[in-house]
Amino acid sequence: MYPNAKEQVALQVAQNLMESIMARYDPSHDAFHVQRVRKTAVSIARALSAQKPDLLVVELAALLHDVLDKKYVSETEAADPYGYFLPFFQSLSSEHGLDLISDGRARQIVKIIENVSWSTEKKLRSAGKIDEWHRTCVELHCVQDADRLDAIGAFGIMRCAAYSSAVNRPLHAPTGHVETAIEHFYDKLLHIQERLKTEPGKQMGAKRHQFMVDFLDSVENESNAEALGVYEGPYWTKFQSFALSLPNLILNWILPMKKVCPSTATLTLTLTLNLKLD
């Protein structure tokens, strides 16, 4: 039954490592993002049980996938991912009796981490370097889809805004402006749905993609909206016309009536106002 006691310890150690390092990252790439990816990746993997994905590999790769994100770490730190994570895997073996190095799973986890990102896959495709492993590794696909699903839909919108704020990128600007958060949707986020690998991922992606489309429609409508003039609208036109006639109405008709019958004058004024404005 997954996870067993040793696997639970490994997951907790990985989570501690991730949280300690990513505490300095901005909210678009924080521990909460990682936990969502972790949950979705495991959910997808369980749905693909017929393909027998290694759940520990999926979950550890999901937990560690953004630790060495090149937006936040130096080139030196990111240059050797396996060397960077090796002390973590060694500690699992020496302190907790879980050897992922000897069976090759440590290298598989790191390889998934190296290949999760959209930009990495894009470069590999452009260079013709997508190989059989990229096309068939179900564990990679589970983590890729989970990470990309968190880049679209409601959370994707919030994360895009959060990262834009962190790097001082405008959220929206007139056409032709250098770079904006909204342009990022058209450059990348709207294309994610077509690159999802798993059937569960595609099903989840369809709803999130439509949510983004609706959001962008609203942005377009709101950015092009013209405010109503202060003196516009049918009720204002009626009131304006009535207001202009009010002095003569009160002077010539209602005030003389008040001298004879005050209550009738008050009722007449009330009814007049109601009829004129209906």
Side-chain angles (χ1 to χ4, degrees):
M1 186 71 175
Y2 176 81
N4 62 35
K6 290 182 180 180
E7 291 168 338
Q8 287 177 349
V9 172
L11 293 169
Q12 187 59 57
V13 174
Q15 179 175 322
N16 294 343
L17 173 64
M18 175 272 292
E19 289 177 345
S20 67
I21 294 170
M22 295 184 65
R24 69 178 189 270
Y25 297 0
D26 67 78
S28 70
H29 292 76
D30 60 10
F32 300 112
H33 156 67
V34 172
Q35 292 291 12
R36 290 192 300 272
V37 172
R38 172 193 194 178
K39 181 179 179 181
T40 304
V42 172
S43 176
I44 291 173
R46 291 189 183 279
L48 299 175
S49 58
Q51 299 181 45
K52 298 181 179 179
D54 188 320
L55 295 180
L56 182 62
V57 169
V58 169
E59 195 161 1
L60 285 175
L63 274 169
L64 301 174
H65 81 278
D66 266 346
V67 166
L68 291 180
D69 191 309
K70 295 180 179 65
K71 293 188 291 295
Y72 305 97
V73 301
S74 67
E75 291 184 9
T76 302
E77 289 177 300
D80 181 15
Y82 187 74
Y84 183 91
F85 287 113
L86 184 58
F88 160 72
F89 292 115
Q90 290 172 332
S91 72
L92 293 184
S93 179
S94 62
E95 298 174 24
H96 307 292
L98 182 62
D99 185 2
L100 300 178
I101 299 174
S102 298
D103 64 12
R105 287 193 287 176
R107 285 203 177 273
Q108 184 185 16
I109 290 166
V110 174
K111 190 173 182 179
I112 291 171
I113 292 169
E114 291 180 283
N115 286 274
V116 163
S117 83
W118 174 271
S119 57
T120 297
E121 183 180 23
K122 188 176 180 180
K123 290 176 183 176
L124 291 174
R125 286 187 180 279
S126 297
K129 294 183 178 180
I130 296 291
D131 59 25
E132 190 65 17
W133 179 82
H134 292 98
R135 287 188 286 268
T136 61
C137 180
V138 64
E139 291 85 2
L140 169 66
H141 297 168
C142 291
V143 182
Q144 274 186 330
D145 277 13
D147 188 38
R148 293 171 189 186
L149 285 167
D150 206 55
I152 62 177
F155 276 109
I157 291 169
M158 290 191 290
R159 291 181 63 218
C160 182
Y163 183 73
S164 297
S165 297
V167 298
N168 199 30
R169 178 174 66 183
L171 298 179
H172 183 273
T175 303
H177 196 278
V178 281
E179 184 183 1
T180 67
I182 292 301
E183 284 184 356
H184 185 62
F185 283 86
Y186 294 100
D187 292 341
K188 173 186 174 181
L189 303 185
L190 288 176
H191 301 287
I192 284 179
Q193 183 188 28
E194 63 202 42
R195 289 293 186 190
L196 295 171
K197 308 292 197 313
T198 68
E199 284 306 314
K202 292 174 183 177
Q203 291 171 12
M204 286 186 275
K207 183 177 180 180
R208 300 187 191 199
H209 178 85
Q210 187 58 50
F211 190 93
M212 285 195 306
V213 171
D214 294 341
F215 166 75
L216 291 171
D217 285 344
S218 294
V219 169
E220 185 69 18
N221 290 337
E222 290 177 23
S223 66
N224 292 328
E226 295 183 5
L228 286 175
V230 177
Y231 302 114
E232 293 181 9
Y235 287 102
W236 170 255
T237 302
K238 286 186 177 182
F239 178 76
Q240 189 178 38
S241 175
F242 169 65
L244 291 174
S245 66
L246 192 57
N248 289 333
L249 183 66
I250 295 174
L251 182 65
N252 298 325
W253 182 33
I254 298 177
L255 285 183
M257 186 186 299
K258 189 174 182 181
K259 295 178 182 178
V260 178
C261 184
S263 60
T264 302
T266 300
L267 177 61
T268 302
L269 179 58
T270 301
L271 292 173
T272 302
L273 286 169
N274 287 335
L275 288 172
K276 285 288 185 178
L277 294 177
D278 281 343

